[in-house]
Every structure is written in structure tokens, then in C-alpha cells.
Amino acid sequence: MMNANLTKTSQKRIVIIGGGFGGFKLARELSKTDYQIVLIDKNNYHQFQPLLYQVATSGLEPSAISFPLRKIFQKTKNIHIRIAEVSQIIADKNQINTNIGVINYDYLVIAIGTDTNYFGNSKLMEKAMPMKSVAEALTLRNTILQNYENALTTEDIEARKGLMNIVVVGAGPTGVEVSGALAEMKKYVLPKEYPELDFKKMHVHLLEGAPRVLNTMSESASNKAKKYLKKLGVKISLNTQVKDYDGINVYLADGSMIRANTLLWAAGVIGNKIEGLKADSISKANRIKVDRYNKIEGYSNIFAVGDIALMEEEKFPKGHPQMAQVAIQQGNLLAKNLKNVLLNKPLKPFTYKDKGSMATVGRNKAVADLPYFKLSGFFAWIIWMFVHLMSIVGIKNRLFVFINWAWNYVTYDQSLRLIIKQKSKSKRSLEKHFLENTIGVFKNYKTLAEKTFSQLKNDEDFHYQPDTESNSIAVIIKHLSGNMISRWTNFLTTDGEKLTRNRDFEFVEDSQTKEQLMESWDKGWKVFLDTLNTLNENDLVKTITIRGEKLTVTQALNRQTAHYAYHIGQIVYLAKQIKNTEWQSLSIPKNKSEEYSKGFYQETIK
């Protein structure tokens, strides 16, 4: 089993989850204090999110807006970096579970930020492109550039149209800025790179559900931004909602359709989830409710800062805007308050100092709502560049960004149009293939059982026992669910046989209804499949324990494959006995092989 290898000292330990603006600022301000700081992030770098769109549109390289966390804190002995993912908070023990082991804390700060919100639309989640990380920005860049390569070689006019068009959903700052950047690429860069393509037929569509762009900024800023975008050729559709997307066509709520192979989703965010907090501490958008000291409601030593924190203030009764400045100010004040704890000084409540909002649309075009005045055009653009440049971590990074901006401005060109391809799937590792295949096998088991359940119409069928020594389908469901929850909760970091499990109870006949049994079934499979989907090739050789017995992850998966297959087989066998002649076969029916084969070959010939 893995271990975080953190030395226990006399210092109080503050664990910070997340190295974004809030967590990063907090860690920096607490460096060289009498706290032991553990900064946990799934990446080994801090990224400057406001400029991700420039990576996506080939204006900047990823390293220009990313800075290694260890480089930043290499001279501070009280700060420890751990690259890990947190799966659960165990508040009553002052512990968190991670994929590198259990970590204890005296104070915990949650700064995990937000993720793209698709508002429950699974098709959009699968087909649309988000832009919340450097990796996602690079994927978007690769997709856009590869689409133009493909457009050169297709003879289908409609297909070429889809490859060239780009739809951006959400006209907040991100949507406006990326739309402007794409429009400038269309005007200044792409015609030189792809002279065989007619870029008069390429369209950048900006869709917004609200009545205006930049809806959170002033009306004058909104009107100016809209004017700039239209001048650049962006097609703006307001009061417009996306209903569906299949990867080729964007279907709108009014029944119209846009042909586009690329859809960038910038229409909203939702807080990243973390298990273990009380349900009443979480708001509808997964933001965590905090008081004016950033302390989470119902806890004395757990805090939240930044986009994930929902703090009510007189000027902000629905919480602060999810912006970098809020996160930085909260991180800064929380650091001061934690220092005051050491000095037995009173804590200060948080009050957000609004420094204004800005958005750039393109060359010499920006809007700025500042505290005492509003600007647009060239001067707003200069201020926007200066503020963003000075906010980037590291002198070298600022210099690289400035050089790139200066070069782009003088030459009307962007020099970073590289398509960075991943390894071909045909060359994927044997380990990855094993993982994908194993997940597929388990899903097939689940489907087989659920097709069986659909044939059982009443509760009595689930409790049928051929004899007193045999288990009913209800008991098997209880056992499988109990096993899955025990084995696969914190799978890599805790023993598979949890102390909270009552295995004997799983084999006791009771009077649960079909609905209750299905709820238990779904709960077990959710824990199981959620865990499987977090595993990667490197995890397969890690060691876990089940009742103290050491197994590799590969061995544990193989063992569960046999175990679950055995019980699914029992379920099907019992159901066949119950239904008798009414049983509908789940595979090729008895004495129907020849008929099935003829049908298969006839369909193949067609």
C-alpha cells in the first residue's frame, strides 16, 4: 500500500487540497510560518486559467501559463507537495483518504475549484469540449487544427462545412475571449496556412441563453463587446439554448441546427465534489457553505476558499462571483487568520474588495468595468494585458508571454500551431487494454442481471428459495452490494473488508421490496464502477489488502471477476426456475442456433 510519507512534527499541520488561485495564495502566505503545510493537487503545477483560451487558439504555449509547484516552494522547508487525488474526508478522525494513502490534518482547507457544468446533458458531456485545464486547452487546439487538415482532404461539402465551423456556447468572459481569438485566427492566420480552403465559409458561432453577452458586466461593456465581436465576424445568437449535440450537428431549442464538428462549452461551472462533508454543507451547485471566516458550516477546523466556497455577504447575498480575485483575497485573509491563531489574536471577517471585471475581444479591443470608471477599446486592452501579465507566476513566464504577445501583435501571426498527437489506440498498452476489457466484462454482468430482474414482476419472485439452504435473489443482491461497497470504497488505501460491513446480515432473508433491492443494487454498482473508472495502468501493480491478505490490483480484479460471475449466474438460474416456460432467453434460445446463424449471415450480406 502507498504512503504519503509525511513526517509528524510538533507543528500543527494544515492540509490544502488544490493548487489553484486560492490554495496557492494560502500556501505562499503560510510559507516560513510555524505550521507544517501539505499542498495536495492532482497536477504538479499551478496554471493561470484566464489565459487557457490563448493556449487553445495557438497564442501561447502551455508552459507559459503553468508553473511547477515544487519550483515555487523549493526554498520553504515547511511546505510539502504531494501529487494525489483526494477521495474522502473523514472529519471525525481529522483525516483524508487519497490515492497515496491516508493523511492526517489539524486544519483542512478545500480549494478544489469548479468543473464544467453540462446541466445533466450526457450527450453534451460526451461530445462537447470543455476548457478548464491546460490538457483540455491542448485537446481543443489539436482538434481545431486537425479539423482543418481533414477539411483539406474531404470532398463532401457538408462535411467540410462542419470541420471548419466552430460553435462556442456561453458568452461570459471565456466565451467572448475565445470567440474573438478564433475570429482573428480566421481573419489573419488560417487563410495563409490553408490557402486551398475558402474561409468565407467558416463561421464562429457564439450562443448565449441570456439576452446579452458578458451578462455579469455593465450594459455598456456588453454592448461594446457585442459590437467588437460582430466586427470580427462572429455570429452571435442571444436567448438561445442548446438542446443536443451529436458531434456533427448542434441542435437548438427553437428547432434550428448548426453544422459544426467542434463545440466549445463555456456555459457554466459546478463545484468539484468531495465525499465526507455533511449534506447540508453543500449548495445546489456543489459549492460549500462557509461563514465570513471561510469556515465550513458545521465544522471547527475545515475551511473552503475560492470558487468552491459559498459565502453570503451583504453585497453578495447569493455568494461571490467565481473569479480569481475572490479566491486570492480569501486565501490571503485565511492565511492571516491562521497566523493569528498561533498568536492568539482575534480573527478578521472576509469582505470582498471588488477590483472590477475585464474581458478582451481581440487586438486593441477590450472592455473594463473598474471601480470608479469604465473603459473600452485600446486603453482597456492595454490595462487587460498589464493586469494579466503581472498576475502570472514567475518572471520567466511573464517574459515569454510578453514576447509571444509582442510577436503576435507585430506579425499578425501565432507561431504555436502544433498538433500534439497522443499515441494511437492501436498501440495502447496491454495494461490499458486489460483495464478496459475488465470494466466491459463487469458491465456485461450487470446488464445480464438487470435483464433478468426486468422479467421478475413481483417482490415474491426476488425472495423465492428452492430450499432452506439456498439463497434467494434478494439475498444475492444484498451480498453483492455489501461486497462492492466494502471492497471498492477507498480501494487503494484501506483494507477491502471494512469494519462497518455486516456480512452475516447480507445472508439473512428479509422483506425488502423490489424497489428497495434495486436501490441497494445501484448503490453497490455505483461505488464499484466509479472506482474502476479512476484506475489507470500504473495502479495494476499496486498492492492492496483484503482481510489482511496482500494482493495486486490485477489479482483483486481477477478474483472479483470470478466472484461476481458466480453470483450473476445464480441470479439467472433462479429466475429461470421462477419463470419456467415464460422465461425469455438472454442469449441464443435453445434449439434456435441454426435460425440465429442464418439471420446473422443474411444481415451481414446486406
Side-chain angles (χ1 to χ4, degrees), residues 95-152:
Q95 292 178 337
I96 57 172
N97 278 327
T98 77
N99 62 335
I100 60 170
V102 174
I103 297 176
N104 298 306
Y105 63 83
D106 294 294
Y107 298 101
L108 178 66
V109 182
I110 302 170
I112 54 178
T114 59
D115 200 358
T116 305
N117 188 359
Y118 297 97
F119 304 98
N121 191 317
S122 57
K123 281 279 191 74
L124 287 170
M125 190 180 298
E126 180 188 354
K127 300 291 186 180
M129 307 203 71
M131 196 177 63
K132 291 288 290 179
S133 67
V134 168
E136 289 174 347
L138 274 176
T139 300
L140 180 58
R141 184 181 82 180
N142 291 343
T143 300
I144 291 170
L145 296 176
Q146 187 61 54
N147 280 352
Y148 291 121
E149 297 295 335
N150 295 341
L152 281 171

Side-chain angles (χ1 to χ4, degrees), residues 49-82:
Q49 282 193 332
L51 293 181
L52 282 175
Y53 82 94
Q54 294 206 9
V55 173
T57 54
S58 307
L60 292 173
E61 55 187 316
S63 60
I65 64 164
S66 311
F67 205 84
L69 291 170
R70 295 191 183 280
K71 172 74 174 175
I72 298 165
F73 297 110
Q74 63 184 4
K75 294 181 181 179
T76 50
K77 293 182 179 180
N78 71 316
I79 293 185
H80 307 270
I81 310 294
R82 290 294 181 270

